[in-house]
Amino acid sequence: MKALLTGGTGFIGSHTAVALLEAGNEVMLYDNLYNSSERVVGAIEEITGKKPGFMKGDIRDEARMKECFTTFKPDLVIHFAGLKAVGESVAKPLEYYDNNVGGTLAMLRAMRETGCRRLIFSSSATVYDLHNPSPYIEGMPVTHATSPYGETKIQIETILRDLAKAESDWSFVNLRYFNPIGAHPSGLIGEDPNGIPNNLVPYVARVAHGRLPFVRVFGGDYPTRDGTGVRDYIHVMDLAEGHAAAANYCLTHKGEIPINLGTGRGSSVLDIIHAYEKACGHEIPYKIMDRRAGDLPSFFASADRAKSLLGWTAKRGLEEMCRDSWNFEQHLAGKSA
Ligand code: NAD
Ligand code: UD1
């Protein structure tokens, strides 16, 4: 199979490229490098022994996308490209709608003109209505999101569903990711956000390194096991393998379907801190602070649909997620030393 990965040099795209290449597929990465580096292409080759194709380009550039489709002739697209910072999307909604929704429309037009009709989309658990109880099930209502970022995910899912209804030759799989963390065990690829991280695990990693003084635990009085927020953390290599399974499904089914990619298990902020302490071998200081605005006490996936339709379940636990995250951090520190 030939897969075109938009946003393919990013965090999840690069790990998916590894999983697809290792399963014997051909891969082309298409990315404008807004939030990633071309160095990732070499790292993927070093891990797999196979060189993925790479084309620098923006998904909003329809002519460039068409050029990519006509030269590579993919069997399917995995569409990771997008802006993803929730807070930034509140400050810059126009940029988010333009890039994520506008970019997807341009890409779909290029696909239609060049005859590619299969797409896997990077959606998010953020599409679920906040009032739904966990586990989140794909059939639950999706009405509105709490940020422009989340709204772009809902709108793109809607566009794909409408297109599949109107033109029966399309196949769309909307993968709703929960909280991806960790890195490839080689330490050669992973997630390295700029500035002070918003997300928990990159923040904990920096505290573990001594680059930040302590973890700010947002809320210790939630109605959860230990009072801290509970999420469904999933190892990025499990997520990557979920895409390989979804690709097989997408090649053999028509229409549109949302599928959760999560473990089905919730872990608290303190669970993460303690698992990371094991990984790095020393204590990680933390302070319980006020709740962060907009956070939910607890959410996790129902992983049943992914199991029954894709034959996929997440295999890796918190220990492996934190070990691989820490290993990647040490590679980064080695590079900058
Ligand atoms: P990332 O920022 O590491 O990767 C996204 C890639 O897309 C980057 O390499 C960036 O340069 C590229 N890109 C952005 N806009 C582009 C454009 N207009 N044209 C071409 N390339 C463009 O992010 P990620 O964590 O790998 O996320 C991938 C996808 O998964 C995103 O759509 C994100 O919204 C979604 N998602 C991520 C998470 C998460 O926690 N990481 C959770 C749910 C959903
Ligand atoms: C956030 C995004 C979600 C996105 C996901 C990517 C919001 C509202 N949601 O989810 O759309 O898909 O990131 O992984 O931003 N926490 C701390 N201290 C910190 C950081 C986080 O205690 O410094 C806590 C949070 O309160 C939460 C948990 O850790 O309970 C996870 O937070 P985070 O990693 O930011 O992910 P989400 O908020 O679940």
Side-chain angles (χ1 to χ4, degrees):
M1 178 203 47
K2 293 170 81 169
L4 168 59
L5 275 51
T6 72
T9 46
F11 172 47
I12 303 171
S14 56
H15 290 80
T16 303
V18 167
L20 290 172
L21 287 166
E22 283 179 342
N25 302 292
E26 261 184 74
V27 169
M28 167 66 80
L29 313 173
Y30 183 93
D31 203 300
N32 65 1
L33 302 180
Y34 175 79
N35 197 35
S36 54
S37 153
E38 200 174 334
R39 278 197 304 275
V40 166
V41 181
I44 293 170
E45 187 181 3
E46 199 177 332
I47 293 169
T48 62
K50 293 172 192 162
K51 195 176 170 62
F54 172 70
M55 188 166 178
K56 185 174 177 192
D58 197 294
I59 51 168
R60 290 165 294 182
D61 183 344
E62 211 172 311
R64 183 84 171 143
M65 282 249 74
K66 266 194 239 163
E67 186 192 337
C68 187
F69 280 108
T70 31
T71 49
F72 183 59
K73 297 187 177 55
D75 298 303
L76 99 172
V77 176
I78 310 185
H79 181 32
F80 299 101
L83 302 178
K84 63 163 185 175
V86 175
E88 184 186 63
S89 79
V90 177
K92 297 181 175 175
L94 194 56
E95 282 80 355
Y96 271 69
Y97 286 110
D98 176 50
N99 195 79
N100 294 5
V101 181
T104 301
L105 290 173
M107 182 198 61
L108 288 168
R109 286 193 294 270
M111 288 179 72
R112 182 152 67 177
E113 282 197 33
T114 54
C116 181
R117 295 281 188 281
R118 300 180 188 284
L119 177 92
I120 296 172
F121 171 56
S122 295
S123 191
S124 165
T126 194
V127 303
Y128 287 107
D129 196 300
L130 298 181
H131 304 294
N132 285 313
S134 277
Y136 287 170
I137 299 165
E138 290 86 345
M140 283 173 166
V142 166
T143 50
H144 61 275
T146 49
S147 69
Y149 164 72
E151 204 58 50
T152 68
K153 294 294 178 196
I154 293 181
Q155 290 187 7
I156 295 167
E157 284 203 14
T158 306
I159 291 165
L160 301 181
R161 193 161 48 250
D162 287 347
L163 187 51
K165 272 189 215 149
E167 300 176 12
S168 60
D169 51 348
W170 288 93
S171 171
F172 296 118
V173 181
N174 289 317
L175 294 180
R176 295 177 178 164
Y177 311 154
F178 280 68
N179 289 52
I181 61 169
H184 189 269
S186 64
L188 293 172
I189 52 173
E191 187 180 27
D192 181 26
N194 290 326
I196 295 185
N198 292 313
N199 294 119
L200 178 65
V201 171
Y203 200 102
V204 171
R206 293 198 185 179
V207 175
H209 251 301
R211 288 159 70 193
L212 287 168
F214 59 88
V215 181
R216 303 162 307 167
V217 177
F218 297 139
D221 57 353
Y222 283 116
T224 57
R225 202 168 12 89
D226 60 21
T228 67
V230 166
R231 296 291 182 271
D232 187 340
Y233 297 95
I234 175 168
H235 195 296
V236 66
M237 282 312 298
D238 273 325
L239 197 71
E241 288 158 16
H243 287 75
N248 292 332
Y249 182 90
C250 192
L251 289 172
T252 49
H253 295 78
K254 296 273 167 71
E256 177 272 344
I257 189 160
I259 303 180
N260 290 338
L261 289 186
T263 65
R265 288 182 303 276
S267 305
S268 73
V269 175
L270 295 184
D271 289 337
I272 289 282
I273 292 175
H274 296 320
Y276 219 97
E277 284 175 333
K278 257 195 184 168
C280 70
H282 59 82
E283 208 174 299
I284 296 178
Y286 67 85
K287 283 188 192 163
I288 308 274
M289 325 274 286
D290 286 344
R291 294 178 179 190
R292 182 171 68 176
D295 272 352
L296 291 180
S298 167
F299 66 81
F300 49 92
S302 158
D304 294 348
R305 182 177 282 183
K307 186 174 184 189
S308 64
L309 295 187
L310 309 182
W312 169 90
T313 45
K315 296 194 289 275
R316 299 158 176 91
L318 274 196
E319 211 164 293
E320 222 167 329
M321 300 182 211
C322 294
R323 184 198 68 197
D324 292 338
S325 160
W326 179 239
N327 183 39
F328 175 66
E329 287 294 321
Q330 284 171 306
H331 269 79
L332 277 183
K335 263 192 250 159
S336 60

